Amino acid sequence: MHDDLTTRARTWLAEDPDPETRAELAALLDADDVTELTARFSGTLQFGTAGLRGELGAGPRRMNRTVVIRAAAGLAAYLKRHGHTGGLVVIGYDARHKSADFARDTAAVMTGAGLRAAVLPRPLPTPVLAFAIRHLGAVAGVEVTASHNPPRDNGYKVYLGDGSQIVPPADAEIAAEIAAVGSLNDVPRPDAGWETLDDSVLDAYLARTDAILAKDSPRTARTVYTAMHGVGKDVLLAAFARAGFPEPVLVAEQAEPDPDFPTVAFPNPEEPGAMDLAFAAAREAEPDLVIANDPDADRCAAAVRDTAGGGDADGGWRMLRGDEVGALLAAHLVRRGATGTFAESIVSSTLLARIAEQAGLPHEETLTGFKWIARVEGLRYGYEEALGYCVDPDGVRDKDGITAALLLAELASGLKEEGRTLLDLLDDLAVTHGLHATDQLSVRVEDLSLIADAMRRLRENPPAELAGLPVTEAEDLTRGTDTLPPTDGLRYTLRGARVIVRPSGTEPKLKCYLEVVVPVTARDDLPAARTEAAALLTAIKRDLKAAAGI
């Protein structure tokens, strides 16, 4: 076994085009580091519906130039098999380690395979790539990004010509083509022949951002903004300037792209501590709103002043949950007279269904991920609780943290003119539809078998009650439902609550999504309803942990 491992590692080393990973692998071979070599060579990084994502390093179970060249060759073969020889593939990338190299390798492989390749001019937000696919009439798009993963990771996200991320069976077909790639030396990779785009695509994207706002709407909201060390700053500032909003105050320490993300443990606005610098800037600038993008700017987070609601820990500022922003944007679009389908993933709040129903608009639930939400017919607005919002589906068929920030700033401006805030509108929604309180239990693991064990325990012994609420329905989503294709997940319906448990598709995490709905008859009932909801969520978390053994 040891000899076989060494042989595979030496074969890989002979083909590796990257001097950095070659040196890394040579050092592991010289040290005869069997543990590390096994970790890197026991299988391959799986190409799934999020494309590829993993830790940077040498070997088939890491993200590196060899893995990317093979993925690009597999994608090219898939596109040609589907009649797209000569078609355009547009490629975007973020500012992470190796992103520019992976984008260039992809362009070279596409060109060598007889496709046309065009690369965005510099690191730009993922939504600009999603827009460019449709705008340029491309047959596919690739975005090199690991979104909000840790600094050591990178990823490879694939879109087809409709501008949406791939879904089955395309992912399995592309994976089969990747597996069929032989020696790297047989993959043609010319040194030139692809196009590097100018700023006209970005200008066209920015021109569309104007169109999402209502004509002559107030544009007075003052914001503090953090790019979280990612690529959002320049595009967001340009969009806000075009729209006529006050220039956002930048969180200077996080404004410029930095692949090491030095000020945060995880560059995700949802993670504890990630927003500390933004709150510090807000205490000084006293804006109406704090807005954050994740590093590739496809997600948007928001925080508001909340001295009454226990936000004092952050100097009176409180992060809005993704579900709260999702409901606020929906209510704003309804008020503006939007028509079309409102869609969300199954792990997002049921409040969207209530808002759509009251407005007489169609509503759909999909599996988790914008690859599903973006495919809803007649989509007008889509969101999921992980801070993803699609407010301009005709332009960007994916989540977009830039246009979501604009729409949120427009909403905050309109409320400001009325002497109200986003929290006042949330209260209105709670009085009308009941208080929908959501929370998440998220367990990060080193050993992935712990996630499989927890799912098995819950399948073999589903809880009969959680927090004293009887489970009225327990669904194993691997069987699919009338409206959903099969997925690895469990859904429990309780009296006045709902729980969904699933492994994360992009990180080594088990995720449990909780929602409780407490009826409210008047504004005076809200404090008691919030207390009741918080206690229920805490108790559900406790009982769920015990049932799953985590």
Side-chain angles (χ1 to χ4, degrees):
M1 176 62 198
H2 181 198
D3 289 347
D4 176 49
L5 180 66
T6 307
T7 304
R8 276 185 288 144
R10 292 202 182 282
T11 305
W12 184 277
L13 180 64
E15 287 190 353
D16 190 341
D18 187 334
E20 279 184 47
T21 42
R22 265 206 317 273
E24 185 186 315
L25 186 51
L28 293 174
L29 282 163
D30 289 346
D32 199 24
D33 189 336
V34 175
T35 306
E36 192 60 30
L37 287 168
T38 303
R40 289 155 184 262
F41 283 85
S42 56
T44 57
L45 204 57
Q46 289 304 300
F47 186 92
T49 47
L52 294 165
R53 200 178 287 188
E55 191 176 338
L56 289 162
R61 292 204 65 178
R62 297 286 185 267
M63 281 296 294
N64 50 63
R65 289 183 58 198
T66 303
V67 164
V68 164
I69 289 164
R70 287 177 170 277
L75 174 59
Y78 168 86
L79 292 170
K80 288 164 74 173
R81 190 180 291 273
H82 284 264
H84 294 306
T85 301
L88 175 67
V89 178
V90 62
I91 300 151
Y93 58 104
D94 67 11
R96 283 178 179 266
H97 293 296
K98 299 283 182 187
S99 287
D101 294 342
F102 295 166
R104 190 171 55 249
D105 282 332
T106 302
V109 171
M110 295 301 161
T111 304
L115 292 141
R116 290 181 297 125
V119 184
L120 292 180
R122 59 186 169 280
L124 285 167
T126 293
V128 177
L129 181 274
F131 167 81
I133 295 164
R134 288 157 70 96
H135 179 68
L136 298 172
V139 298
V142 170
E143 176 70 20
V144 180
T145 181
S147 190
H148 55 274
N149 275 39
R152 63 177 184 270
D153 289 4
N154 212 328
Y156 198 79
K157 194 185 279 193
V158 176
Y159 298 75
L160 293 180
D162 60 357
S164 303
Q165 294 174 53
I166 53 167
V167 293
D171 57 340
E173 290 181 36
I174 295 168
E177 296 285 6
I178 294 169
V181 175
S183 166
L184 218 61
N185 300 324
D186 298 335
V187 178
R189 282 179 289 139
D191 292 330
W194 58 89
E195 181 186 0
T196 300
L197 295 164
D198 60 20
D199 275 357
S200 56
V201 168
L202 177 59
D203 293 341
Y205 167 83
L206 286 168
R208 270 205 78 91
T209 64
D210 300 353
I212 68 151
L213 301 175
K215 203 166 161 46
D216 303 324
S217 62
R219 314 275 166 95
T220 54
R222 293 165 53 253
T223 53
V224 158
Y225 170 71
T226 175
M228 207 64 65
H229 298 298
V231 298
K233 181 197 73 169
D234 292 345
V235 179
L236 182 127
L237 289 182
F240 269 59
R242 286 179 69 108
F245 286 104
E247 184 177 350
V249 173
L250 298 177
V251 178
E253 303 94 327
Q254 298 175 334
E256 299 303 326
D258 186 331
D260 294 318
F261 305 104
T263 67
V264 286
F266 292 97
N268 178 354
E270 294 176 294
E271 291 281 350
M275 294 292 287
D276 288 356
L277 289 169
F279 292 143
R283 287 193 286 276
E284 207 158 292
E286 300 193 333
D288 301 298
L289 191 62
V290 175
I291 287 174
N293 285 140
D294 67 337
D296 69 326
D298 62 351
R299 287 175 168 83
C300 174
V304 290
R305 188 181 290 285
D306 180 23
T307 46
D312 293 322
D314 291 309
W317 286 87
R318 170 168 93 78
M319 278 285 285
L320 293 175
R321 301 194 71 85
D323 284 317
E324 291 176 314
V325 174
L328 287 167
L329 291 177
H332 182 46
L333 288 170
V334 165
R335 189 175 174 182
R336 277 183 29 184
T339 57
T341 301
F342 279 32
E344 63 183 324
S345 61
I346 55 169
V347 298
S348 305
S349 172
T350 55
L351 178 55
L352 186 70
R354 307 267 177 103
I355 292 169
E357 185 183 16
Q358 189 191 37
L361 295 173
H363 168 263
E364 275 198 39
E365 273 191 331
T366 73
L367 292 184
T368 311
F370 261 83
K371 56 185 178 278
W372 299 107
I373 295 170
R375 286 182 156 72
V376 167
E377 209 166 307
L379 181 68
R380 173 58 187 88
Y381 169 66
Y383 99 90
E384 70 176 0
E385 54 71 49
L387 310 182
Y389 314 94
C390 174
V391 301
D392 176 27
D394 290 341
V396 176
R397 208 84 183 162
D398 198 5
K399 55 188 175 289
D400 183 345
I402 305 293
T403 48
L406 278 176
L407 202 62
L408 206 50
E410 179 184 61
L411 171 57
S413 298
L415 290 166
K416 185 179 178 179
E417 300 296 298
E418 299 167 11
R420 284 156 46 82
T421 68
L422 295 174
L423 294 180
D424 292 321
L425 180 52
L426 283 173
D427 287 351
D428 292 349
L429 293 172
V431 172
T432 305
H433 303 291
L435 177 71
H436 289 62
T438 58
D439 202 356
Q440 194 182 119
L441 171 62
S442 186
V443 183
R444 186 181 288 271
V445 298
E446 290 294 323
D447 178 359
L448 286 174
S449 70
L450 296 175
I451 293 176
D453 290 346
M455 294 297 287
R456 182 179 44 74
R457 268 187 219 104
L458 289 170
R459 284 194 169 100
E460 289 172 0
N461 273 310
E465 63 171 40
L466 294 167
L469 301 171
V471 174
T472 55
E473 188 178 11
E475 298 169 274
D476 187 341
L477 298 176
T478 49
R479 301 190 180 106
T481 72
D482 293 346
T483 55
L484 298 170
T487 187
D488 187 7
L490 300 164
R491 177 163 60 182
Y492 303 115
T493 305
L494 300 92
R495 199 168 297 139
R498 184 214 62 196
V499 174
I500 292 174
V501 184
R502 60 180 279 273
S504 167
T506 54
E507 295 175 273
K509 280 181 174 181
L510 181 69
K511 290 184 149 185
C512 312
Y513 305 83
L514 327 174
E515 178 176 49
V516 300
V517 183
V518 180
V520 178
T521 49
R523 286 183 107 76
D524 293 349
D525 299 338
L526 281 168
R530 286 202 179 91
T531 303
E532 182 185 341
L536 276 171
L537 288 168
T538 301
I540 291 172
K541 267 190 195 178
R542 179 197 64 220
D543 293 354
L544 192 60
K545 269 185 175 175
I550 51 177

